[in-house]
Amino acid sequence: MSGPTREADFADLVDDPAPAHVAREPRPGAPLRGYSHSVEIGQVRMVHGAAAMLAMSVLADSGIEHSRGQYHNPAMFTPLVSSTLSILASLDGAARSETSAHPLRLASYGIAMVVGLVGTAFHVHNITKKPGGFSWENLFYQAPIGAPAALSLSGLLGLAAEGIRDEKPGESPKLLGLPAAPALAGLTALGLLGTTAEVSLLHFRGNFQNPLMYLPVALPPIAAALTAEAALRPHKRPRPQAKLWLGITAALGVAGVAAHAYGTHRYSGGWKNWRQNLVDGPPIPAPPAFSGLALAGFAALALLERHGDD
């Protein structure tokens, strides 16, 4: 081989030192192809989907509950607007594959988080000013504390999705400065426990008249415990039991919609009297919150298998 040819070959290696089969890191703003982030975009979409499911649940549930209150306070429209923005941001985030967070999505999720916190404080205030304060009667029949908290959770999940998307090559993704994988697992566990507490309160109000009402009280805490263990011990290893129980929890959310629809049908007038029965019957939009949180849990476990111990 002649000298000039060897020099040309060496120049080619310097310009492109990686073999053809080795994936190269994309330029800033390039599509997520060919490096680790191309795998993690799947988790990004899952977490955006989880945020969307929670926001949809809040939108439908608050729409029904606030219509019962006839929107006597204009602030009651706020969660409808905020949850809609969160849904749109989640759908947009799931559809795109850029490598950086978008400011409009970040703003939408931030608004959802703040509106949920303010709504929780407002609902607590409404309960305390009623005769008897924090009594079982008021907790049963006054403004539900858990509903606006779900909106904040939707915002936090959306911010988590954007944090995972914004990962830099060679670094593990971050969420509010913390490693995103264990932080997302911990957030999922807390969300499952909070949702279970809300369900327990409402099913206790219903005297657990159907034995199936025990399932969303007894099963999701198992998934929460296994997901919390993953957050506290973020090792790179498969967690089949956690995935199994998250799958059961996700299915429980779907089954809960059917069960609540059946319960609404049993009220006087059935679906012919849907305007009244949707308000008085079991909340049909509530159970999908379990499915959304389970989806976030799956994403967290997948991230832990790649970034645990980092």
Side-chain angles (χ1 to χ4, degrees):
M1 184 179 292
S2 64
T5 303
R6 287 194 299 270
E7 291 175 1
D9 291 342
F10 179 76
D12 289 341
L13 287 173
V14 171
D15 291 338
D16 190 9
H21 68 278
V22 175
R24 298 169 179 82
E25 295 175 359
R27 297 182 306 277
L32 299 176
R33 298 191 189 96
Y35 85 120
S36 65
H37 214 155
S38 63
V39 177
E40 288 178 3
I41 192 61
Q43 281 78 64
V44 169
R45 287 171 174 154
M46 289 172 69
V47 182
H48 276 303
M53 292 182 72
L54 281 173
M56 288 177 184
S57 178
V58 172
L59 175 62
D61 197 27
S62 62
I64 293 173
E65 293 296 325
H66 288 184
S67 65
R68 175 164 60 181
Q70 299 180 347
Y71 296 96
H72 69 275
N73 187 332
M76 296 171 78
F77 287 101
T78 306
L80 305 183
V81 176
S82 179
S83 56
T84 300
L85 290 176
S86 186
I87 293 168
L88 294 176
S90 298
L91 295 177
D92 180 75
R96 298 181 183 274
S97 54
E98 67 262 16
T99 60
S100 58
H102 196 283
L104 289 180
R105 290 196 297 266
L106 291 174
S108 297
Y109 291 133
I111 290 170
M113 188 171 61
V114 172
V115 169
L117 289 173
V118 173
T120 301
F122 190 75
H123 282 199
V124 170
H125 173 70
N126 277 347
I127 292 174
T128 57
K129 72 179 184 180
K130 299 292 182 182
F134 265 95
S135 64
W136 286 114
E137 186 75 13
N138 288 336
L139 287 172
F140 285 153
Y141 297 106
Q142 297 304 319
I145 298 176
L151 183 56
S152 288
L153 192 56
S154 172
L156 280 171
L157 289 175
L159 292 175
E162 292 296 283
I164 299 168
R165 181 194 301 276
D166 213 24
E167 176 202 356
K168 303 299 184 291
E171 298 179 4
S172 60
K174 303 293 183 184
L175 172 58
L176 302 177
L178 301 172
L184 181 59
L187 180 62
T188 300
L190 289 175
L192 286 171
L193 291 176
T195 305
T196 301
E198 181 78 3
V199 171
S200 300
L201 182 68
L202 296 179
H203 284 195
F204 180 69
R205 182 182 72 179
N207 293 320
F208 291 96
Q209 56 183 320
N210 187 324
L212 293 177
M213 295 172 73
Y214 286 102
L215 294 181
V217 175
L219 301 185
I222 301 175
L226 292 171
T227 308
E229 185 274 337
L232 295 173
R233 301 174 63 190
H235 306 313
K236 291 182 180 178
R237 61 180 176 84
R239 292 178 170 83
Q241 289 188 341
K243 292 177 181 179
L244 171 64
W245 283 99
L246 285 172
I248 292 172
T249 302
L252 197 63
V254 177
V257 173
H260 283 199
Y262 175 74
T264 300
H265 167 74
R266 296 184 62 193
Y267 274 63
S268 177
W271 286 109
K272 293 181 180 179
N273 189 27
W274 64 271
R275 290 181 182 272
Q276 185 66 34
N277 289 344
L278 279 179
V279 174
D280 294 337
I284 296 176
F290 279 126
S291 301
L293 288 167
L295 191 60
F298 280 122
L301 295 181
L303 287 171
L304 281 169
E305 289 182 12
R306 298 190 64 242
H307 294 290
D309 302 317
D310 289 354

